[in-house]
Amino acid sequence: MSTWPEHRLAHIDVFTCRADTDPRQAIEPILSVLGGQVTRSQAVPQLSPNALLEADNANLDKQLA
C-alpha cells in the first residue's frame, strides 16, 4: 500500500497465487476498514509458468527472425 494523505489517496496492490481467486474480494474488507472507495482498478492477467515460457519463446523467435 502506498499512501498520499495530503491528497486523501491510497494505492493498494493485491496479488494472488491462484487464478481462481478474485482479488476484488480482498479489497472490499480493506475499504470497509479504511472507509474508502475504488475510483480506478486494473487487473493484470495471471499466466501459468508454461504460458510464460511459451510467450518468452515466441518473443525470442521474433527477435531472431
Side-chain angles (χ1 to χ4, degrees):
M1 175 184 271
S2 301
T3 61
W4 296 268
E6 67 274 17
H7 298 289
R8 298 183 54 146
L9 178 67
H11 178 171
I12 301 169
D13 294 319
V14 177
F15 298 91
T16 62
C17 295
R18 294 177 49 166
D20 63 343
T21 302
D22 184 0
R24 290 175 291 193
Q25 290 179 339
I27 293 173
E28 292 172 13
I30 295 169
L31 293 176
S32 176
V33 169
L34 297 177
Q37 64 183 4
V38 173
T39 58
R40 180 172 171 239
S41 67
Q42 176 182 4
V44 178
Q46 186 174 16
L47 298 175
S48 69
N50 289 338
L52 288 172
L53 287 173
E54 290 172 11
D56 284 346
N57 288 337
N59 287 333
L60 181 59
D61 289 344
K62 287 179 186 178
Q63 291 175 4
L64 295 176

